[in-house]
């Protein structure tokens, strides 16, 4: 943040917590200098980040007076999360038209990757997520190619991949054994409502390893009706 941005953040903090107000001009200048030093590498606003919101959340949840480290620590945690978990780190040639694909040294390629990572780390660029790769203008083309390839998979390949696709392997095993598959029906649980073919979700929206009991019951009933028909 620039000194102007830090001063604006401090004014906002004082408005939320009057205990932070300093009457002495020298003390106020010293505190501003301290905050500017500790927040020099923290942006005011970035992709998924807002320093003012972080300060407000801290003041709302903690009885202690806020310190600049209470803003810098969350920023560095956010930056690490973006780089290590959200950003897939793939190199998209269309995003770097200035890089010569025939450059055998690879210097331009490395420089482009470093510049992209630096831009994401400082909040100037949004991370490239898996969702971004599987959506957008290329999604229709990818879908068409997959349809042309079909869904057949040799049994030997399917068995070799079973450990890496446990839910699909479990469904295939249920089908082979002639047993009911809970994912063949939508989940009736009001806090889930997972559609057919998708795993049940918990109250946080995360996939459950097991379907809800009511879904299993519905699948069992449907399987019994289809078997008797």
């Amino acid at each position: 943040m620039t000194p102007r941005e830090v001063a604006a953040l401090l004014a906002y903090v004082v408005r939320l917590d009057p205990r932070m107000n300093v009457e002495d001009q020298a003390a106020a200048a010293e505190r501003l200098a301290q905050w500017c030093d500790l927040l020099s590498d923290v942006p005011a606003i970035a992709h998924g980040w807002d320093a003012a919101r972080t300060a407000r959340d801290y003041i709302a949840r903690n009885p202690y007076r806020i310190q600049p480290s209470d803003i810098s620590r969350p920023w560095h945690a956010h930056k690490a999360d973006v780089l290590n978990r959200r950003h897939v780190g793939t190199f998209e040639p269309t995003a770097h038209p200035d890089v010569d694909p025939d450059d055998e040294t690879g210097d331009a390629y490395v420089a482009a990757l470093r510049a992209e990572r630096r831009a994401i780390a400082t909040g100037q660029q949004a991370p490239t997520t898996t969702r971004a790769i599987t959506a957008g203008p290329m999604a229709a083309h990818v879908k068409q190619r997959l349809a042309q390839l079909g869904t057949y998979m040799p049994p030997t390949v399917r068995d070799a991949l079973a450990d890496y696709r446990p839910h699909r392997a479990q469904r295939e095993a249920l089908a082979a054994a002639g047993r009911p598959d809970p994912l063949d029906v939508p989940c009736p649980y009001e806090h889930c409502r997972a559609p057919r073919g998708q795993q049940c979700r918990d109250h946080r929206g995360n996939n459950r390893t097991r379907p809800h009991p009511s879904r299993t019951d519905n699948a069992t009933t449907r399987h019994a009706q289809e078997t008797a028909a």
Side-chain angles (χ1 to χ4, degrees), residues 108-154:
Y109 165 78
V110 173
L113 277 182
R114 287 177 176 174
E116 181 179 90
R117 189 173 177 85
R118 184 164 52 250
I120 294 172
T122 57
Q124 300 174 22
Q125 179 179 329
T128 303
T129 62
T130 304
R131 183 185 298 262
I133 296 174
T134 57
M138 290 297 293
H141 178 64
V142 172
K143 185 176 181 180
Q144 181 181 5
R145 289 194 62 189
L146 289 175
Q148 293 172 349
L149 291 173
T151 57
Y152 172 77
M153 181 181 296

Side-chain angles (χ1 to χ4, degrees), residues 2 4 13 32 44 59 71-72 92 105 110 146 150 152 157 173 177 220:
T2 65
R4 183 184 296 273
V13 165
L32 177 60
I59 294 172
I71 298 175
S72 63
E92 301 298 331
T105 65
V110 173
L146 289 175
Y152 172 77
V157 177
T220 302

Side-chain angles (χ1 to χ4, degrees), residues 187-194 201 212 214-215:
C187 182
Y189 183 48
E190 60 179 340
H191 297 299
C192 178
R193 303 293 187 187
R201 296 180 290 268
H212 288 104
S214 55
R215 188 178 195 179

Side-chain angles (χ1 to χ4, degrees), residues 170-171 174-175 177-184 215-224 227:
Q170 183 181 22
R171 298 193 69 190
L174 290 173
R179 297 171 56 190
D181 180 1
L183 270 62
D184 279 344
R215 188 178 195 179
T216 301
D217 292 341
N218 283 4
T220 302
T221 300
R222 174 181 172 178
H223 180 73
T227 303

Side-chain angles (χ1 to χ4, degrees), residues 66-141:
I66 190 171
Q67 300 296 324
S69 58
D70 296 320
I71 298 175
S72 63
R73 277 197 301 264
W75 158 248
H76 289 295
H78 170 80
K79 181 176 67 173
D81 177 68
V82 168
L83 285 174
N84 299 328
R85 188 172 67 86
R86 302 185 197 177
H87 182 55
V88 296
T90 57
F91 183 79
E92 301 298 331
T94 56
H96 304 278
D98 54 317
V99 176
D100 183 2
D102 297 325
D103 180 11
E104 297 181 357
T105 65
D107 293 342
Y109 165 78
V110 173
L113 277 182
R114 287 177 176 174
E116 181 179 90
R117 189 173 177 85
R118 184 164 52 250
I120 294 172
T122 57
Q124 300 174 22
Q125 179 179 329
T128 303
T129 62
T130 304
R131 183 185 298 262
I133 296 174
T134 57
M138 290 297 293
H141 178 64

Side-chain angles (χ1 to χ4, degrees), residues 38-53:
L38 292 174
L39 299 180
S40 60
D41 59 345
V42 178
I45 296 178
H47 291 281
W49 165 262
D50 188 330
R53 183 181 60 198

